[in-house]
Amino acid sequence: MGWNVHKFGGTSLADAECFRRVAAIVAAQTDARQAVVVSAIGGMTDVLLGLVSAASSQADVAPQLAMLKDRYGGIVGELLGDGGVPLMAQMERDLADVESVLTALALVKSASHRSRDLVAGFGELWSARLLTAVLAAEQRRPVVLIDARDVLRVVQSEMGPVVQWEDSRAALAGSLAADFDGIAVITGFIARTPDGLQTTLGRNGSDFSASIFAALLEAAEVNIWTDVEGVMSGDPRRVPEAAVIREMSYNEAMELAYFGAKVIHPQTMTPAVEHSIPIRIRSTFNPAGEGTWITAAPRSTELVKGVSSIEGIALINLEGSGMIGVPGTADRLFGSLREAGISVVLISQGSSEHSICFAVPVESAQRVKDVVARAFAGELAQGQVQNIDVTPDCAILAVVGDGMAGAPGIAGRFFSTLGRAGINVRAIAQGASERNISAVIAAADATRALRAVHASFYLSAKTVSIGLIGPGSVGGVLLDQLAGEAERLAAEFGVDLRVRAIGGSRRMVLADKRIPLANWREQVENSEPMNLDRFVDHVQADHLPHAVLLDCTADQGIAQRYEDWLGRGIHVITPNKKAHSGSLEYYHRLKALTRASGAQFLYETSVGAGLPVVHTLRDLVDTGDEIYTISGIFSGTLAYLFNVYDGSRPFSSIVADAQSKGYTEPDPRDDLSGMDVARKTVILAREAGLDLELEQLSVQSLVPESLGEGSVEDFLNQLPAHDAAMAAQLKVARAAGQVLRYVGELDLRSGAARVHLASFDAGHAFANISLTDNIVQFVTRRYCDNPLIVRGPGAGPDVTAAGVFADLLRLCGRLGGNGG
Ligand code: ASP
Ligand code: MG
């Protein structure tokens, strides 16, 4: 059987419970021989190093020493009971050694590297001994402890520790029988120099230890157990949508580590990389999770693996006509920086050679400026170099992925996303490896940039953040419809519909990811007071590519807000007629905003509910047809009243009946006034290109003039007095073989527009509708002899909600890339 290496860091070994968890994980690994590399118990290395500094400045170290003993003693006692006595005896001896070293330090008032390394390394000895004892007590397999100082030989160099492979291999063979079949617990972090002195592999060196032992043992894999699920596609504290990267290459891991994904330190991977040993980042809290596989040849196909940033950057720009075509300028520049020991993190020079800019850590910015000014003193004096600009408060944003090499359009997507998010790019660098594209931006923009770029590469381009206002009858049904279809839409079309906010007139509920729609009603009830500004800000989240507000109210005040929303790039979908049937000036402003911001404003359901009226008309216009007339029955309520009114019952009793059944508005005058039909007529007129104000429309109200004021009850009581007039009109119509219908009519050629009660021949399309049907007739150049007719139920929550839903999908269909 081969070897698997498992490394557990300090946070995985913080207390007794942690040790138990680690022991259980090790026990579960039975498919190979196990090499378990451990760090010190969380925080102990810091305490030990603290002791060294304290001693060299002659501070009292006794309390800290006692604290170490208590902490270790507590964990040992909890895990081993009386069985821990030998471990504590060993620790006492170690602490006595530590104390004598510290006393010596106090005398010489300084600490050498060697004494520091000696003291710092005890933490790993203590934790490894303890884990060995815990495993030995529970395991049937043999468990041995390997003190890495007996095995690892390293030479310290300027670039860090260099492993002496031959010596180390030989030493390992001496410490571990070739046929050993069990668990070897190994101290991380510590090693020995060729002259026999204890040394360390540097802070966080246990990862390096694991990687070295993997190479020595020719292990099949190195598992780095930690407290995160793996390498993330972005910093989860800043990018809420960040996800664990399943598989990545060594190179990608290296790039991401540099850019702040601090799961593994690049150098520590080298031994594993040289032997092509896969490294797996896993969580001790979720041992069943896959974690991240870092390998030589990952099988994943994503072009971009992660989005990351480094903060605390200053951008330096050296500019001058004197540099054009002068060889050696860059050499002098970077040579001077090298001499000053300054590391440059990004370089960019345009081919005009008029300027060179580069990024450095902000702490060194002033020194850089001085160094460069000295190096180019002559040119500065003579004006060949005009200035050295320093821009502090910058961040470098990078996308990383092997797949970007040779894949066109990645840079395009990256920069257009930044552009759409309104983020200014100050400098750009992409290496020829094409594994990383970096942009220098203002530090203040970094989080917004990370989110936008992450969304554009990681989320479906059709991910929509949805806020629904007015969860009443239509809104409520719509939420239920969304709950039922969202999963299918995601699976079949990659449409990711996230209802993240629901707000009524009093309360609202907001969710980061999405509101579970199964019980949205209770959630709204038990939530916070409505605050429309906060609601809208929440919906327009910068980590999601698109935001849409579904206004399911009939509210004038809400309609007044569309201007702000569309201007901000938020799409608006609504059955509410108030905005686009309001003043022409407002209507045109909204249309202009949609053109400028790219936000969509969709209102199919404001005419004929779910019937395809508005977009049928728009298609006719867009394809160059000429509209002659549009007419129709646009009110389900009025359609119903005149369908039922055949003279057998007075008109007033039909109205009263319909009102009590809820077929009319609570106040039937809202239907009978014709204003609802008038608004719809105005909407169609404007859609057809006719600039029509509501006031220009001639509207015949069916509310008798004397009954305009007063309560609903009074109105219904007094309406019978007007039955005779209505009956007379019906009689005239019937005598001519006609029926009465309340219609809206537009003549686009003359501009005439009116809403009135008219009679139609029994054979006319308008005479043959059922119940609450709406019907719209378009007479156009193409549909001239035989008009285009749209007919069907034109009211009711189900069809209206479905119509809003259809608009939402229509919107998604138009969302190309990110933010479009
Ligand atoms: N215990 C050492 C440190 O804290 C090594 C490690 O944890 O990897 O730096
Ligand atoms: Mg419609």
Side-chain angles (χ1 to χ4, degrees):
M1 263 215 284
W3 284 93
N4 279 350
V5 173
H6 297 272
K7 179 258 166 175
F8 294 94
T11 48
S12 303
L13 298 168
D15 54 26
E17 202 195 318
C18 288
F19 270 83
R20 283 197 199 100
R21 197 178 297 128
V22 167
I25 289 172
V26 173
Q29 319 285 329
T30 51
D31 54 336
R33 298 189 273 175
Q34 311 298 325
V36 181
V37 176
V38 295
S39 299
I41 288 170
M44 278 213 183
T45 312
D46 290 326
V47 176
L48 289 165
L49 287 169
L51 282 171
V52 173
S53 337
S56 15
S57 55
Q58 288 167 309
D60 183 11
V61 294
Q64 288 291 75
L65 282 169
M67 191 277 272
L68 279 176
K69 198 176 134 192
D70 281 355
R71 175 138 183 245
Y72 190 61
I75 301 175
V76 168
E78 213 179 301
L79 290 169
L80 301 173
D82 289 344
V85 172
L87 280 189
M88 290 315 291
Q90 253 178 316
M91 189 201 204
E92 302 259 353
R93 288 196 292 279
D94 293 339
L95 288 178
D97 287 348
V98 170
E99 233 183 315
S100 34
V101 175
L102 295 178
T103 312
L105 294 184
L107 290 173
V108 298
K109 292 191 198 163
S110 76
S112 71
H113 245 294
R114 288 173 179 173
S115 30
R116 195 176 293 133
D117 278 1
L118 181 64
V119 173
F122 278 105
E124 270 68 12
L125 284 168
W126 297 330
S127 62
R129 283 184 204 138
L130 176 54
L131 184 64
T132 306
V134 172
L135 288 172
E138 298 172 353
Q139 285 285 324
R140 294 222 189 90
R141 289 181 285 176
V143 182
V144 295
L145 170 65
I146 292 183
D147 181 340
R149 293 173 302 182
D150 299 338
V151 176
L152 288 191
R153 294 285 171 274
V154 302
V155 174
Q156 295 293 359
S157 80
E158 225 170 85
M159 308 277 288
V162 179
V163 180
Q164 309 296 294
W165 291 101
E166 283 314 309
D167 295 350
S168 301
R169 205 165 282 125
L172 179 62
S175 301
L176 193 64
D179 61 353
F180 173 79
D181 186 9
I183 302 167
V185 178
I186 303 171
T187 55
F189 187 46
I190 51 178
R192 211 179 280 285
T193 60
D195 46 6
L197 291 169
Q198 176 173 333
T199 189
T200 70
L201 303 179
R203 288 315 305 266
N204 305 311
S206 298
D207 285 343
F208 195 21
S209 306
S211 177
I212 296 169
F213 273 96
L216 289 173
L217 293 164
E218 290 166 16
E221 59 185 58
V222 189
N223 295 271
I224 306 287
W225 292 90
T226 170
D227 54 358
V228 294
E229 292 278 333
V231 184
M232 307 286 286
S233 57
D235 179 346
R237 285 163 304 181
R238 301 172 74 179
V239 183
E241 298 297 320
V244 173
I245 303 171
R246 287 283 152 240
E247 265 188 66
M248 65 201 304
S249 71
Y250 295 126
N251 285 328
E252 288 170 334
M254 228 123 11
E255 293 277 354
L256 276 178
Y258 175 70
F259 282 100
K262 295 226 165 39
V263 174
I264 185 161
H265 201 274
Q267 276 105 319
T268 66
M269 297 199 298
T270 316
V273 174
E274 277 169 0
H275 292 79
S276 299
I277 302 170
I279 300 171
R280 198 172 165 193
I281 312 294
R282 307 172 74 171
S283 165
T284 42
F285 298 103
N286 180 20
E290 264 301 296
T292 299
W293 284 93
I294 305 174
T295 65
R299 283 159 307 177
S300 56
T301 51
E302 299 105 343
L303 300 180
V304 165
K305 286 294 161 46
V307 182
S308 200
S309 69
I310 345 180
E311 327 274 309
I313 293 291
L315 192 66
I316 318 278
N317 192 34
L318 184 67
E319 198 167 309
S321 45
M323 305 193 304
I324 300 176
V326 180
T329 310
D331 182 43
R332 264 170 65 210
L333 172 62
F334 295 112
S336 70
L337 294 174
R338 186 192 55 229
E339 271 157 40
I342 291 158
S343 151
V344 174
V345 286
L346 175 146
I347 302 172
S348 173
Q349 177 181 14
S351 61
S352 77
E353 302 179 54
H354 181 246
S355 67
I356 302 183
C357 79
F358 56 96
V360 296
V362 73
E363 312 81 69
S364 51
Q366 189 51 48
R367 213 149 52 81
V368 169
K369 190 168 180 176
D370 297 344
V371 168
V372 176
R374 229 175 296 129
F376 289 87
E379 284 84 349
L380 278 164
Q382 287 163 23
Q384 285 149 324
V385 167
Q386 273 92 36
N387 47 17
I388 306 167
D389 272 341
V390 177
T391 315
D393 302 324
C394 289
I396 300 180
L397 182 76
V399 286
V400 170
D402 290 339
M404 302 194 306
I410 303 283
R413 173 120 56 110
F414 181 52
F415 292 113
S416 62
T417 303
L418 291 176
R420 256 192 306 261
I423 291 163
N424 182 34
V425 174
R426 297 172 193 262
I428 298 171
Q430 171 180 357
S433 79
E434 299 183 48
R435 189 174 295 124
N436 163 339
I437 305 174
S438 300
V440 180
I441 59 174
D445 289 335
T447 299
R448 220 150 46 79
L450 280 169
R451 292 175 169 189
V453 171
H454 189 276
S456 90
F457 285 107
Y458 259 82
L459 298 180
S460 158
K462 300 185 190 316
T463 301
V464 186
S465 168
I466 299 171
L468 184 142
I469 305 170
S473 61
V474 171
V477 172
L478 177 57
L479 287 169
D480 294 336
Q481 290 176 354
L482 283 167
E485 302 304 318
E487 215 169 290
R488 183 181 59 82
L489 289 166
E492 286 179 23
F493 306 109
V495 173
D496 188 356
L497 301 176
R498 305 188 180 188
V499 178
R500 298 177 60 250
I502 302 174
S505 48
R506 291 173 306 109
R507 319 217 125 247
M508 66 177 182
V509 55
L510 310 179
D512 261 350
K513 282 224 156 140
R514 59 179 87 231
I515 296 169
L517 292 181
N519 65 341
W520 62 265
R521 282 182 182 83
E522 288 133 67
Q523 296 184 62
V524 176
E525 266 325 297
N526 303 321
S527 57
E528 53 192 301
M530 180 65 175
N531 173 335
L532 194 54
D533 290 325
R534 233 163 63 63
F535 185 95
V536 174
D537 288 344
H538 176 82
V539 172
Q540 193 177 36
D542 46 23
H543 62 282
L544 296 171
H546 312 282
V548 57
L549 287 164
L550 307 178
D551 170 18
C552 296
T553 71
D555 196 284
Q556 177 72 47
I558 303 273
Q560 232 45 56
R561 305 287 291 258
Y562 296 175
E563 181 172 13
D564 170 39
W565 301 344
L566 292 169
R568 288 166 62 173
I570 304 174
H571 308 290
V572 177
I573 298 177
T574 186
N576 182 355
K577 292 177 279 289
K578 298 284 161 48
H580 47 303
S581 66
S583 85
L584 249 181
E585 200 248 313
Y586 188 53
Y587 170 81
H588 283 305
R589 245 180 12 233
L590 294 182
K591 287 286 168 174
L593 279 171
T594 61
R595 283 190 293 273
S597 73
Q600 304 264 335
F601 177 32
L602 302 177
Y603 41 78
E604 176 59 76
T605 47
S606 59
V607 182
L611 294 180
V613 175
V614 174
H615 84 262
T616 299
L617 173 54
R618 199 171 293 161
D619 283 350
L620 293 174
V621 173
D622 287 351
T623 57
D625 202 350
E626 190 190 341
I627 316 292
Y628 298 159
T629 65
I630 303 172
S631 55
I633 298 170
F634 306 142
S635 156
T637 307
L638 293 174
Y640 172 81
L641 294 179
F642 288 99
N643 264 325
V644 173
Y645 184 46
D646 59 3
S648 61
R649 283 164 64 200
F651 187 68
S652 62
S653 93
I654 296 173
V655 171
D657 199 31
Q659 196 265 357
S660 71
K661 285 183 182 147
Y663 291 177
T664 69
E665 294 294 322
D667 184 342
R669 282 171 293 192
D670 289 343
D671 296 300
L672 294 169
S673 72
M675 283 323 288
D676 172 66
V677 176
R679 282 188 181 273
K680 289 167 178 168
T681 307
V682 163
I683 291 170
L684 293 179
R686 291 176 181 176
E687 214 60 38
L690 181 65
D691 272 352
L692 188 66
E693 291 278 17
L694 201 50
E695 297 73 37
Q696 293 172 304
L697 198 62
S698 123
V699 181
Q700 179 195 356
S701 172
L702 299 182
V703 180
E705 226 164 285
S706 58
L707 302 185
E709 309 289 314
S711 70
V712 175
E713 224 182 359
D714 289 349
F715 167 73
L716 288 173
N717 285 337
Q718 289 166 38
L719 192 57
H722 301 267
D723 280 335
M726 187 61 91
Q729 211 172 329
L730 179 65
K731 201 169 164 205
V732 173
R734 300 203 112 189
Q738 295 184 318
V739 299
L740 293 180
R741 293 291 182 258
Y742 193 83
V743 293
E745 290 175 344
L746 283 167
D747 186 325
L748 281 310
R749 287 167 299 188
S750 68
R754 67 172 176 165
V755 170
H756 66 140
L757 188 62
S759 359
F760 293 89
D761 287 339
H764 193 278
F766 294 180
N768 296 284
I769 56 166
S770 44
L771 294 172
T772 62
D773 273 4
N774 279 18
I775 184 164
V776 187
Q777 171 175 291
F778 300 99
V779 178
T780 73
R781 197 178 67 243
R782 291 183 194 136
Y783 296 96
C784 181
D785 300 334
N786 199 2
L788 168 58
I789 287 175
V790 178
R791 174 200 147 166
D798 277 346
V799 292
T800 309
V804 176
F805 197 170
D807 264 348
L808 182 58
L809 293 183
R810 203 165 289 135
L811 167 72
C812 292
R814 293 177 191 167
L815 302 175
N818 179 53

